[in-house]
Amino acid sequence: MSNSKKKSEALRYHQYPTPGKIQVVPTKKHSTQRDLSLAYSPGVAEPCLEIEKNPDDAYKYTSKGNLVAVISNGTAVLGLGDIGALAGKPVMEGKGLLFKIFADIDVFDIEVDTKDVEKFIETVKNIAPTFGGINLEDIKAPEAFEIERRLKEELDIPVMHDDQHGTAIISAAALKNAIEITGKNISEVKIVVNGAGAAAISCTRLYLALGVKRENVVMCDSKGVIRKDIENLNVQKAEFATDRDVYTLEEAMVEADVFIGLSVGNVVTPKMLITMGNEPIVFAMANPTPEIDYNLAVKTRKDIIMATGRSDHPNQVNNVLGFPFIFRGALDVRATGINEKMKMAAVHALANLAKESVPEQVNITYGETSIQFGKNYIIPKPFDHRLITEVPPAVAKAAMESGLAKNPITDWDAYKENLAERLGAGSKLMRMLMTRAKSDPKTIVFAEADHLDVLKAAQIIHEEGVGKPILLGDKAIINELMEEINFDADLPIIDPLSREEKERRNKFAQVYWKKRQRNGITLLAAQRLMRERNYFAAMMVNEGEADSLVTGYSRSYPATVKPMIELIGKQSGVQKIAATNIMLTKRGPMFFSDTAININPTAKELANITYMTSVAIKMFGFEPNIAMLSFSNFGSSKSPMVEKVAEATKLLHARFPNLTVDGEIQADFALNSALLKEKFPFSKLTDKKVNGLIFPSLESANIGYKLMKEFNDVESIGPIIMGLKKPVHIIQLGASVDEIVNIACVAIVHAQEKAKIK
């Protein structure tokens, strides 16, 4: 992607459909006059008076306990430097977004327009009663040290400067594991730290707490090794000044065991790596360009353990592994601060998590067969759903043991369950899906690429490295549209009607004719059909010229499905194909079936739809818990529709006794576990989180998912076709760009799964 394209894309993202990235959403009913009288005057007076008598009641009656301030003066913004408080606001909003999506913590971003330390501290202290915690962000050193020190001393809520401690905690966990892999003694390893800013100082302090000896550390800044004989060192640099006879980074690297880079790109050479000790540990964390390129480093030293700040290489040191979960734990026990013991608890929790067996969902997300603790996996992956149930409890326990917890946790099992429920996996599914697709991009045909929205989706798939688009349609129109949207890429463009494609059309026609000649298709008819892009595109996939296909933007669903069934064919054992939609809800992804194909399935067909849905759920890395929906609960009503669902359930119980499926059941009982357990404790769904809903008819499924999509602003992926031999997916007529991108990701992941079976 060109720089101008990246710039315009970033600006559009932040401007539309609503400027910015975060908003305030009411948490209480507000539709009636009574609601408003409780929310504001006169009802609001009651909690005000209670808080006046007991300030701790603010945690009971307001959002204080789940609200963090992300505060900056914009003096050290994300490698952009001192750009000012207002210019740094998009970064602070972004930090707020990460707090919410990873740990369900609400954020107000606060930009303080002063470089004066005293004024900044005074401002933060004055607004602190609003918040349950303070996340300091992008404040330059050395002022950042003083600001954090004072605020931690003078406030009774958690305060943390993430630029310092976030990187320190994540890299310390990685370092602990890397040293363990080498078999070296942490008290003996020699460390070179390149960089002397807030992050470097904080990292090194935490490494000392982990067991590194101060005399084994050499720190460098842009001028070279920080030595004791240098005059006018600030307090922080003086803390790590050395009297060893080394003056340059190159000299310091000789026989070093560990290199920690928190500086600028490309300052480490292969020659420096060669001079390091055996099994060198190199954390090149400058972003976006590491101190040494990952591929160059691993080529230079086969025995290296390498980490960077980048997501496209193993061992990403990413602050998102830390700050959301550290604050989550601190807030949940109403800690009065974040101390060294709490930070170290996070270090050990992260380090230990990397040694545990990795869930299949994480393997699937990152396109791995089996992620295992070792040189290429010394720190958990950012999309590991276990982070929220492992790190916050460790931090909370440390706060309690330190005497900082005002609201101690007594039931840890219930607490972990609550943490798991805080974030439905639906909010993460598309990020995980795109990560998985990127791990092994497949070719994907966009059969209607001469439509602007389809081409825009293909552009995103290409530029994000998710897949390899093949563009079908009128070449002149496609080229014109590509120029219009600044889509500069050398991709295959195929016009099925063009003279250049005559030979391929005839080849496809012969294959199709031989397959369908006993179904009334003549060779002439087959040749005519190959001029239609959906038939042509389907043959490309069928003949192995493409891995997957997305179509349907400009044609009705039934008309688009027909050639796919005729050409691609059904999987062995599948009588009828079906479709499921993934609804990305707050409770997690919900699979709705059948939303597009079978109008009124029989009991046997309904059972087959359910089984195919269970396979789809597993493909996305989830364990299926499926409810067979009806207007009846386990025989409470009698009708042919109810009996059909009940019969389908019996068939499933007989054929797949290990599949968690039950019915017939009403939707509210299926989704309300407490209600289900109270009334129908015998159900196989009791104490299970339902993630699949099977509707008795196309009418109910289609209406249900579309109502949910529009009323609740729930994102939908699909319909996803189930039961075809090849990865072919059909979007709804006039689908949005995002919907096309989503289904394209599904098609690519589906192609990856098909490739494994071959």
Side-chain angles (χ1 to χ4, degrees):
M1 189 189 300
S2 66
N3 289 334
S4 61
K5 175 62 182 173
K6 286 181 180 178
K7 178 179 178 180
S8 61
E9 186 77 11
L11 293 176
R12 280 201 304 272
Y13 173 84
H14 284 81
Q15 185 175 1
Y16 301 107
T18 302
K21 298 188 286 288
I22 55 178
Q23 64 178 353
V24 176
V25 178
T27 60
K28 298 291 191 294
K29 293 188 298 180
H30 52 275
S31 57
T32 67
Q33 180 59 40
R34 180 176 179 275
D35 294 337
L36 296 180
S37 70
L38 290 169
Y40 198 56
S41 182
V44 75
E46 299 305 327
C48 290
L49 293 172
E50 293 300 309
I51 294 168
E52 182 186 27
K53 289 185 287 186
N54 178 17
D56 280 351
D57 278 353
Y59 288 91
K60 185 189 297 186
Y61 299 119
T62 77
S63 62
K64 177 182 173 77
N66 196 50
L67 186 61
V68 166
V70 174
I71 304 182
S72 178
N73 62 0
T75 53
V77 178
L78 270 185
L80 300 174
D82 186 355
I83 61 174
L86 185 58
K89 183 175 173 63
V91 177
M92 305 313 127
E93 287 188 354
K95 196 64 175 281
L97 183 147
L98 295 176
F99 264 110
K100 187 64 179 178
I101 65 176
F102 281 98
D104 193 29
I105 293 172
D106 297 317
V107 162
F108 289 159
D109 62 292
I110 309 290
E111 289 72 43
V112 181
D113 192 14
T114 182
K115 296 180 183 179
D116 185 286
V117 170
E118 290 300 326
K119 288 182 179 179
F120 187 95
I121 291 170
E122 182 182 4
T123 300
V124 176
K125 285 174 62 179
N126 286 339
I127 64 173
T130 306
F131 302 99
I134 303 288
N135 180 96
L136 299 171
E137 193 78 15
D138 292 351
I139 304 167
K140 74 180 182 71
E143 291 90 335
F145 297 109
E146 178 64 10
I147 288 170
E148 187 192 44
R149 183 189 68 78
R150 287 272 305 280
L151 289 174
K152 288 178 74 170
E153 287 179 358
E154 298 174 30
L155 293 177
D156 63 350
I157 57 176
V159 176
M160 188 172 85
H161 184 209
D162 185 49
D163 298 331
Q164 294 182 54
H165 307 297
T167 303
I169 290 164
I170 314 310
S171 65
L175 182 63
K176 179 177 184 288
N177 282 342
I179 292 173
E180 181 179 320
I181 290 169
T182 66
K184 297 177 182 179
N185 189 322
I186 194 168
S187 66
E188 297 174 358
V189 294
K190 298 175 182 178
I191 296 182
V192 176
V193 180
N194 197 54
I201 297 294
S202 184
C203 283
T204 312
R205 286 172 176 168
L206 199 56
Y207 302 159
L208 297 185
L210 204 57
V212 171
K213 297 297 184 185
R214 189 182 300 269
E215 59 267 25
N216 290 336
V217 175
V218 174
M219 183 175 286
C220 304
D221 61 14
S222 58
K223 297 175 184 177
V225 173
I226 299 172
R227 295 177 44 80
K228 291 182 178 179
D229 54 11
I230 297 175
E231 296 181 359
N232 301 320
L233 287 176
N234 64 40
V235 175
Q236 289 76 30
K237 288 185 179 182
E239 184 180 344
F240 295 104
T242 184
D243 56 8
R244 287 170 55 186
D245 190 24
V246 287
Y247 295 85
T248 66
L249 174 61
E250 185 174 9
E251 292 172 348
M253 291 281 276
V254 177
E255 293 301 318
D257 297 293
V258 179
F259 170 81
I260 303 293
L262 292 153
S263 52
V264 295
N266 298 320
V267 294
V268 174
T269 65
K271 181 181 177 182
M272 293 181 190
L273 283 191
I274 291 170
T275 66
M276 292 182 72
N278 65 302
E279 293 189 277
I281 298 166
V282 174
F283 292 179
M285 296 180 284
N287 245 336
T289 305
E291 283 79 2
I292 183 169
D293 176 72
Y294 175 85
N295 294 318
L296 177 60
V298 297
K299 182 180 178 181
T300 303
R301 290 292 300 257
K302 303 298 183 185
D303 59 344
I304 197 171
I305 299 178
M306 180 84 173
T308 70
R310 294 175 60 109
S311 61
D312 52 350
H313 299 307
N315 301 325
Q316 183 191 13
V317 178
N318 188 331
N319 281 22
V320 82
L321 291 169
F323 70 83
F325 310 112
I326 293 165
F327 271 96
R328 180 76 275 157
L331 292 174
D332 289 340
V333 293
R334 282 175 45 199
T336 56
I338 295 175
N339 61 15
E340 296 306 306
K341 188 167 185 176
M342 293 162 71
K343 289 187 283 186
M344 192 57 73
V347 170
H348 291 305
L350 288 168
N352 292 337
L353 186 58
K355 298 174 189 176
E356 294 180 11
S357 178
V358 175
E360 184 60 16
Q361 186 179 343
V362 179
N363 285 317
I364 288 172
T365 298
Y366 289 93
E368 301 284 349
T369 304
S370 179
I371 299 174
Q372 292 183 333
F373 180 62
K375 288 185 176 182
N376 289 325
Y377 181 62
I378 58 175
I379 192 96
K381 301 285 189 179
F383 291 140
D384 191 327
H385 60 274
R386 299 171 299 168
L387 287 163
I388 196 166
T389 56
E390 295 299 323
V391 181
V395 172
K397 284 179 182 177
M400 290 166 57
E401 291 167 1
S402 305
L404 298 185
K406 298 178 74 174
N407 184 37
I409 292 167
T410 55
D411 188 338
W412 291 99
D413 289 337
Y415 176 54
K416 283 193 172 187
E417 187 175 334
N418 175 265
L419 289 171
E421 292 291 327
R422 272 192 172 275
L423 290 182
S427 62
K428 297 182 179 180
L429 183 65
M430 277 316 302
R431 299 193 301 278
M432 296 169 70
L433 201 59
M434 291 194 80
T435 300
R436 183 176 168 190
K438 281 182 181 181
S439 69
D440 184 18
K442 299 294 185 183
T443 54
I444 178 167
V445 179
F446 288 87
E448 298 156 299
D450 47 10
H451 290 270
L452 183 60
D453 284 352
V454 177
L455 189 62
K456 283 181 177 178
Q459 181 179 22
I460 292 169
I461 293 296
H462 169 71
E463 292 179 349
E464 292 295 324
V466 173
K468 304 170 185 176
I470 298 171
L471 309 176
L472 252 63
D474 187 304
K475 278 190 178 182
I477 294 176
I478 291 173
N479 284 322
E480 184 179 328
L481 290 174
M482 288 181 78
E483 186 174 347
E484 180 183 327
I485 62 175
N486 195 22
F487 186 5
D488 183 18
D490 184 19
L491 297 177
I493 302 175
I494 298 172
D495 186 348
L497 297 175
S498 66
R499 290 181 180 178
E500 305 96 90
E501 297 302 327
K502 182 177 180 180
E503 183 178 342
R504 185 153 40 177
R505 281 199 308 269
N506 288 334
K507 183 183 78 169
F508 287 169
Q510 286 285 344
V511 175
Y512 180 59
W513 176 56
K514 288 177 182 178
K515 185 177 182 179
R516 303 282 296 177
Q517 59 189 349
R518 292 184 180 274
N519 296 88
I521 296 294
T522 65
L523 179 58
L524 184 62
Q527 290 171 334
R528 187 176 63 252
L529 287 172
M530 289 310 123
R531 299 176 68 85
E532 294 184 17
R533 62 183 65 185
N534 280 331
Y535 279 88
F536 189 94
M539 284 303 298
M540 288 186 70
V541 176
N542 195 59
E543 295 303 294
E545 295 186 17
D547 298 314
S548 56
L549 162 65
V550 169
T551 187
Y553 180 82
S554 63
R555 287 170 171 78
S556 70
Y557 206 89
T560 309
V561 168
K562 184 174 182 286
M564 305 306 151
I565 297 174
E566 290 180 0
L567 287 168
I568 302 297
K570 298 185 284 290
Q571 291 174 359
S572 176
V574 172
Q575 298 300 313
K576 286 189 176 183
I577 65 170
T580 189
N581 273 68
I582 308 176
M583 312 303 293
L584 304 184
T585 74
K586 289 182 179 179
R587 63 178 280 135
M590 297 289 297
F591 292 74
F592 284 26
S593 301
D594 171 12
T595 51
I597 306 290
N598 297 284
I599 295 174
N600 186 20
T602 64
K604 185 177 179 181
E605 289 167 349
L606 204 58
N608 289 333
I609 289 168
T610 305
Y611 176 70
M612 287 192 290
T613 303
S614 74
V615 172
I617 294 172
K618 287 180 180 178
M619 186 179 83
F620 287 95
F622 301 101
E623 193 62 33
N625 297 310
I626 302 175
M628 309 291 289
L629 295 186
S630 176
F631 60 84
S632 169
N633 283 316
F634 303 108
S636 63
S637 298
K638 303 295 181 183
S639 84
M641 287 293 285
V642 171
E643 290 168 5
K644 177 180 75 171
V645 178
E647 179 61 25
T649 305
K650 288 179 184 177
L651 289 171
L652 288 162
H653 286 173
R655 290 171 57 195
F656 310 106
N658 295 325
L659 178 63
T660 305
V661 58
D662 214 348
E664 81 284 6
I665 187 172
Q666 294 175 2
D668 52 350
F669 283 93
L671 299 175
N672 188 325
S673 57
L675 194 62
L676 179 66
K677 191 169 185 176
E678 178 187 348
K679 299 295 183 183
F680 307 107
F682 57 82
S683 173
K684 291 181 73 171
L685 297 174
T686 299
D687 295 325
K688 302 288 186 182
K689 185 176 180 180
V690 169
N691 54 15
L693 299 178
I694 308 300
F695 292 79
S697 67
L698 174 60
E699 182 179 46
S700 57
N702 194 273
I703 291 171
Y705 101 79
K706 289 189 174 181
L707 280 174
M708 190 171 186
K709 180 180 169 185
E710 295 303 322
F711 281 159
N712 295 319
D713 196 26
V714 171
E715 189 174 357
S716 173
I717 305 173
I720 298 168
I721 293 184
M722 305 179 293
L724 287 175
K725 287 182 181 177
K726 304 273 187 175
V728 170
H729 292 281
I730 301 169
I731 54 178
Q732 292 282 17
L733 188 68
S736 70
V737 173
D738 285 345
E739 288 171 331
I740 302 169
V741 169
N742 289 349
I743 205 70
C745 288
V746 170
I748 292 163
V749 168
H750 194 182
Q752 291 173 350
E753 290 296 304
K754 290 290 185 183
K756 293 177 184 177
I757 298 172
K758 291 180 181 179

